[in-house]
Amino acid sequence: MSRAAKEISPIEIYKYLPKTNCGACGEKTCMAFATKLANREARLEECPELLKPEYKEAYQALWEMLKPPVKEVVIGSGDRAVKVGGKYVMYRHELTYHNPTPIAIDVEDTLEPDAIRERVKRIQEMAYEYIGRLLKLDGVAVRCVSGDAEKFKQAVQVVAEETDMPLILCCLNPDVLEYALVTVYERRPLLYAATKENWREMAELATGYKCPLAVFAPGDIALLRSLVKTLTAYGVEDLVLDPGTFPGEGFSDTLNNFTMIRRAACKQGDELLGFPLLGVPAVAWLDKEAPYELKAWNEACMAVMLLTRFADLLIMHSLDGWVQLPVMIWRENIYTDPRKPVSVEPGLRTFGQPDEMSPVLVTTNYALTYFTVENDIKAAKLDCYLIVVDTEGLSVQSAVAGRKLTAELIADAIKESGIEERVKHRYVVIPGLAARLSGELEELSGWRVLVGPKDSSAIPKFFAESWPPKEEG
Ligand code: SF4
């Protein structure tokens, strides 16, 4: 029975470490390494001593102790492979979530080859830059809608030629599935899916071709668990669970099932349910009568709720930006480490072609604040300097309230940035939400303080009206 991550103390881990304090893991002591292991900030393999034969048993004991209650399963091969699951906790705030939920987009085998190519191209090209990170889609789920082995194989081949993204092969007929699988098995696609009718043939495919296997038991957790028991006994190790995604009225049952399965794995140590969960928001498109926008809207809502309620992998249909962006941004937010605010490097940045009379602005190193300010400066085509103060990743308002952004820290940041050699004037623009620091900052730094807008979207208006400052104009 696996144990919740927070239950394992560094002392328990330390007992099994070599205790030589050799430093090869990058930590000064084995105890420090034990603390990192307990926080899931280091891997066992980083201690080379543990890999020696004499520590084989200790390594095994630690591996058992530290393995996540939700198994990590790899789909795909090479650089584009994705890891799904690998969750240590039920709720993000208990530690952090690992392995952001990959989003695969479906492609039907009834499409003409050119239409398939076009769809795959769109899947690959969808990208959005958000607080310095590139948000992208992660895989392609080829669906056998035709029931025709030749057609399915051709669709799989066209997709495989067009992209090296991980693949999901969706076909409940094992013969049809194998006909396509033989051409792409080396790419380790996820096979979808074993059911109570076909589990034996699917298990043969999964073990024979060394591919992960999805298990499908819609609305029946007992059956799902029983199938997992049978499949693992058969030798299939890498499973992904699909308890069914039901649109409309059935969606609350869907979320309940996902929650019960995850609770069983993380809180009750049920290893048979300790596998990644697959959600399929694409079912929103099964309602042929509903208008296009409503189906797309429903799909986005289901995807966001499934992301929140434990889905480790999603299959979606829509490629509309207004559907995918909220989903990808939500994923980005729940998969950030709650112990470490998302931050950027502090220091001096330049925008455009600033000269000795260009404005000097100040902001914090919280990533969302920084990139919002950066975007607004770029949109305003402002030639300026921006001093990013280290507030330990806090936004302006929180940093001022928590004394992570003080007049003293800004004065130090001004000094350390070297800006005094770059500009002739001595005016600094601080965020409107830090207005109360202005008097003390003037005293400590010797610079005149201009209080900028509370929202950086007002930067163009502010500089149109307030720069250059009156005395300099
Ligand atoms: S490498 Fe291993 S033995 Fe050496 S200090 Fe780190 S944990 Fe201890």
Side-chain angles (χ1 to χ4, degrees):
M1 186 175 280
S2 54
R3 292 165 59 194
K6 62 180 179 177
E7 291 172 6
I8 298 163
S9 74
I11 304 268
E12 282 179 85
I13 296 171
Y14 177 72
K15 283 183 204 157
Y16 291 94
L17 291 178
K19 306 183 190 72
T20 61
N21 299 331
C22 71
C25 57
E27 299 300 320
K28 288 201 178 109
T29 63
C30 294
M31 192 63 204
F33 186 64
T35 305
K36 280 203 144 187
L37 285 174
N39 288 333
R40 271 54 181 191
E41 289 168 345
R43 290 175 302 112
L44 283 180
E45 292 69 28
E46 288 169 41
C47 167
E49 292 294 305
L50 265 184
L51 303 179
K52 292 182 178 167
E54 60 263 40
Y55 289 108
K56 195 170 169 211
E57 281 178 19
Y59 177 91
Q60 195 55 34
L62 284 168
W63 190 87
E64 280 293 331
M65 189 190 287
L66 293 168
K67 74 178 180 187
V70 177
K71 191 175 183 200
E72 182 177 274
V73 173
V74 176
I75 303 172
S77 58
D79 293 347
R80 296 299 291 270
V82 290
K83 291 177 184 165
V84 299
K87 299 292 192 292
Y88 289 96
V89 286
M90 180 151 180
Y91 296 110
R92 171 182 180 265
H93 64 262
E94 294 174 308
L95 183 72
T96 185
Y97 279 169
H98 295 79
N99 300 335
T101 303
I103 301 170
I105 300 294
D106 74 338
V107 171
E108 296 180 4
D109 69 345
T110 44
L111 292 173
E112 291 301 322
D114 280 349
I116 293 178
R117 280 188 198 97
E118 177 57 29
R119 187 159 170 80
V120 174
K121 190 162 173 266
R122 286 183 62 204
I123 295 168
Q124 297 205 93
E125 286 176 353
M126 179 162 276
Y128 180 74
E129 200 176 330
Y130 170 70
I131 55 170
R133 291 144 198 245
L134 200 60
L135 308 184
K136 297 177 84 171
L137 297 168
D138 309 280
V140 182
V142 190
R143 288 174 51 217
C144 179
V145 177
S146 67
D148 180 313
E150 205 57 59
K151 235 180 166 7
F152 184 55
K153 180 180 173 183
Q154 185 187 45
V156 169
Q157 283 181 315
V158 172
V159 171
E161 277 161 26
E162 287 300 303
T163 182
D164 57 357
M165 289 172 127
L167 304 175
I168 304 175
L169 307 187
C170 308
C171 181
L172 299 181
N173 180 330
D175 294 333
V176 176
L177 181 62
E178 184 173 18
Y179 194 59
L181 177 61
V182 290
T183 64
V184 292
Y185 72 93
E186 286 177 344
R187 291 180 54 167
R188 202 179 148 77
L190 173 66
L191 311 182
Y192 183 97
T195 63
K196 70 174 191 294
E197 286 82 21
N198 69 9
W199 66 266
R200 191 182 296 275
E201 295 89 338
M202 285 292 187
E204 294 285 345
L205 292 183
T207 50
Y209 291 96
K210 295 188 173 40
C211 291
L213 176 63
V215 191
F216 182 44
D220 191 341
I221 296 177
L223 173 62
L224 191 65
R225 197 169 178 282
S226 150
L227 281 169
V228 170
K229 193 172 182 183
T230 313
L231 288 163
T232 47
Y234 209 87
V236 190
E237 291 177 355
D238 291 334
L239 297 171
V240 173
L241 312 183
D242 180 3
T245 303
F246 307 101
E249 297 279 303
F251 195 63
S252 65
D253 285 341
T254 305
L255 293 182
N256 282 340
N257 288 340
F258 273 63
T259 306
M260 285 191 285
I261 291 172
R262 190 48 48 94
R263 181 173 294 127
C266 290
K267 303 287 186 194
Q268 291 141 19
D270 186 342
E271 294 194 2
L272 290 177
L273 293 177
F275 290 94
L277 283 164
L278 166 66
V280 188
V283 296
W285 296 84
L286 293 175
D287 182 356
K288 300 289 175 216
E289 305 298 315
Y292 176 94
E293 287 77 12
L294 185 61
K295 288 187 275 199
W297 169 264
N298 283 338
E299 183 178 34
C301 293
M302 280 199 274
V304 166
M305 285 186 268
L306 284 165
L307 267 175
T308 315
R309 279 287 170 261
F310 316 121
D312 302 290
L313 171 66
L314 291 179
I315 297 179
M316 297 187 66
H317 175 74
S318 176
L319 281 171
D320 286 312
W322 65 268
V323 172
Q324 289 298 343
L325 287 187
V327 179
M328 290 196 278
I329 288 175
W330 183 237
R331 171 178 66 177
E332 194 65 23
N333 279 299
I334 62 173
Y335 277 86
T336 55
D337 190 337
R339 299 167 297 178
K340 299 176 193 152
V342 197
S343 57
V344 298
E345 278 298 303
L348 183 67
R349 310 281 204 282
T350 58
F351 293 91
Q353 307 282 331
D355 59 25
E356 57 193 21
M357 289 311 293
S358 295
V360 178
L361 293 78
V362 165
T363 191
T364 77
N365 77 328
Y366 174 46
L368 193 55
T369 302
Y370 172 78
F371 285 107
T372 308
V373 173
E374 182 194 80
N375 281 343
D376 289 328
I377 289 174
K378 284 181 177 170
K381 296 191 169 54
L382 191 65
D383 298 316
C384 69
Y385 299 95
L386 178 65
I387 297 171
V388 182
V389 182
D390 185 357
T391 57
E392 298 173 27
L394 291 184
S395 65
V396 177
Q397 203 164 15
S398 308
V400 171
R403 298 210 36 87
K404 299 290 180 193
L405 184 67
T406 61
E408 206 174 347
L409 280 168
I410 301 176
D412 288 348
I414 290 173
K415 272 246 153 333
E416 285 160 18
S417 69
I419 191 67
E420 286 168 332
E421 280 81 59
R422 296 210 190 191
V423 293
K424 275 189 177 168
H425 66 80
R426 289 294 180 263
Y427 287 94
V428 63
V429 181
I430 66 170
L433 290 170
R436 68 162 113 140
L437 307 178
S438 40
E440 196 186 348
L441 178 57
E442 290 199 343
E443 273 179 35
L444 290 173
S445 66
W447 284 55
R448 294 289 305 279
V449 173
L450 302 178
V451 176
K454 287 184 176 168
D455 188 319
S456 62
S457 62
I459 280 178
K461 184 168 179 285
F462 174 81
F463 282 98
E465 291 169 359
S466 313
W467 196 268
K470 290 279 184 311
E471 293 93 325
E472 302 287 327

